[in-house]
């Protein structure tokens, strides 16, 4: 039996399972944990739970100890060194004229490694940059190229809704998003209106997609002809939330009626 606790390293990052050991932990507690990169400062995301048959081929890393004020001081020190490393790397990138956009730097909690995150349209030969950074910083360096959505998740920002970006606050992973989701919800297909800060389709298009599909499955299709209490006409629009449909009747007027008040009919013959 294993005492498993959920640990998160970033506010909207993935939750990882760790061995809680004898510690009494609650969500929000700051802890020091063992990772493949050494000790790291993290936060408890899910309370400990007992798991009877934990797979033997998935050994758990351990919670090393609870975090102390000294650990938070170390984190602030690392943050200051990250800012210095960022400025240094940006200067080297300009000197080497490399086609890369550096946007974040992370230093391992124990100082054993510094990771530089960047985006680029293609592959970048950063070998000379790597040598210059190692020579100046005197520690292990990793250059990591990521996609534009990951950059937005790490940098954060405000969405067009006026709230913080979903990817930076609560989304642990990116779900596939398609233009079909916008069509199903009757949204404008103007790219500037359905794209997020990253330039890709907004993640929130996924949230209500299945609900709209379920609400619309029993509605007559747009473009079909129906008889309404106000006359026969062609369906031009759905209002699935209200269970209503907009119909353009034969005299040219447009009316909105309950979906259950119409009957299908054959379209009029063309003269």
């Amino acid at each position: 039996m294993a005492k498993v606790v959920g640990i998160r390293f970033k506010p909207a990052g993935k939750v990882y399972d760790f061995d809680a050991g004898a510690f009494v932990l609650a969500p929000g507690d700051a802890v020091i944990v063992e990772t493949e990169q050494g000790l790291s400062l993290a936060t408890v995301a899910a309370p400990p739970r007992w798991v009877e048959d934990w797979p033997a081929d998935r050994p758990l890393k351990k919670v090393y100890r609870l975090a102390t004020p000294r650990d938070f001081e170390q984190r602030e020190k690392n943050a200051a060194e990250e800012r210095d490393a960022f400025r240094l790397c940006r200067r080297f990138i300009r000197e080497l004229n490399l086609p890369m956009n550096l946007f974040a730097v992370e230093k391992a909690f124990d100082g054993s490694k510094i990771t530089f995150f960047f985006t680029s349209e293609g592959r970048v030969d950063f070998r000379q940059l790597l040598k210059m950074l190692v020579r100046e910083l005197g520690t292990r360096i990793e250059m990591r190229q990521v996609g534009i959505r990951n950059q937005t998740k790490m940098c954060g920002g405000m969405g067009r809704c006026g709230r913080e970006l979903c990817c930076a606050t609560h989304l642990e992973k990116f779900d596939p998003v398609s233009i079909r989701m916008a069509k199903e919800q009757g949204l404008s297909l103007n790219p500037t209106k359905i794209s997020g800060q990253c330039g890709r389709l907004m993640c929130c298009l996924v949230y209500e997609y299945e609900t709209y599909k379920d609400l619309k499955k029993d509605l007559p299709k747009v473009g079909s002809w129906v008889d309404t209490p106000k006359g026969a006409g062609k369906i031009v629009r759905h209002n699935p939330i209200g269970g209503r449909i907009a119909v353009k009747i034969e005299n040219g007027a447009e009316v909105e009626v309950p979906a259950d008040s119409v009957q299908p009919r054959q379209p009029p013959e063309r003269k």
Side-chain angles (χ1 to χ4, degrees), residues 221-226 232-237 246-250:
K221 293 182 179 180
V222 172
S224 61
W225 281 75
V226 292
K234 183 169 67 172
I235 298 174
V236 294
R237 190 171 57 257
V247 180
K248 187 173 184 180
I249 56 180
E250 291 176 314

Side-chain angles (χ1 to χ4, degrees), residues 15 37 61 75 79 87 89 92 134 190 211 221 223 248 256 260 265:
V15 176
Q37 308 297 331
K61 298 289 185 180
R75 183 173 65 178
R87 288 190 289 268
C89 187
F92 288 161
V134 171
N190 184 336
T211 298
K221 293 182 179 180
K248 187 173 184 180
E256 187 172 288
D260 57 7
R265 63 162 292 168

